Structure formats: structure tokens, C-alpha cells
Amino acid sequence: MKYKEITEGIFISRPNRFIAKVNIEGKETVVHVKNTGRCRELLTAGCKVYLSVSESPARKTGHDLISAVKERENLSPILINLDSQVPNDVAAE
């Protein structure tokens, strides 16, 4: 499974289960969250996140939040995919 265009950001907050505020290149941007679960242990202020760029100009948000980097004490950071729509695609591949 490969995403077409990925960009990096810093998580700021999650006002509701569908959107998040992310700092992308110094600009606060509202993005769509592809996982409606809480994800509070992953989406913490200041964590690094990765976003896919939307191909549709008609959308309200230009990015989808797809993964987060989880910092772990005394261990290497781990990248966690938060895109709840991708498991079926990965299994099909």
C-alpha cells in the first residue's frame, strides 16, 4: 500500500473526532482524521504526524492525517498508521 503524496506536520489538537489541527511548514492547518477512534495516547500535542495530500479540490480539508510517530521511553520511536480504511487494501495486496 502506497500513498501518492505525503507531507509531514506537527500535531496541535483534535477539536472533534473528524478533524485535527496540524502545523504544516509553520502554518496551522485543519486536516481530516481518517480514524474516528480516540487515539489520545498517539495524538499528543507536538508529536510528528504524516498526512496524505487530497486530490480533490472540492474538499474542505486538503490533507488526511494517516500516521503518527509514538515516542517511547528508552526505545526507538515507532510509526503507527491511523488510517482505518487501509487494512483491507493492505490485506488485498
Side-chain angles (χ1 to χ4, degrees):
M1 170 71 200
K2 290 189 179 186
Y3 294 96
K4 291 186 180 181
E5 188 177 348
I6 301 293
T7 189
E8 186 178 302
I10 302 297
F11 180 80
I12 298 170
S13 67
R14 189 172 180 186
N16 66 46
R17 65 186 192 155
F18 300 106
I19 63 168
K21 293 180 181 179
V22 175
N23 182 326
I24 303 172
E25 297 178 354
K27 181 180 176 190
E28 185 175 302
T29 307
V30 175
V31 302
H32 176 253
V33 179
K34 294 188 95 171
N35 187 323
T36 58
R38 292 182 339 182
C39 304
R40 288 184 186 154
E41 66 281 0
L42 301 173
L43 295 176
T44 58
C47 79
K48 185 186 297 185
V49 293
Y50 291 95
L51 312 140
S52 65
V53 178
S54 171
E55 296 177 2
S56 173
R59 280 190 36 177
K60 289 182 180 180
T61 59
H63 298 84
D64 292 315
L65 193 152
I66 55 169
S67 64
V69 176
K70 175 68 175 171
E71 297 292 336
R72 303 179 302 163
E73 192 173 324
N74 299 324
L75 295 169
S76 298
I78 187 169
L79 181 65
I80 299 177
N81 191 306
L82 298 173
D83 185 348
S84 61
Q85 300 169 357
V86 78
N88 289 339
D89 294 339
V90 171
E93 285 184 19

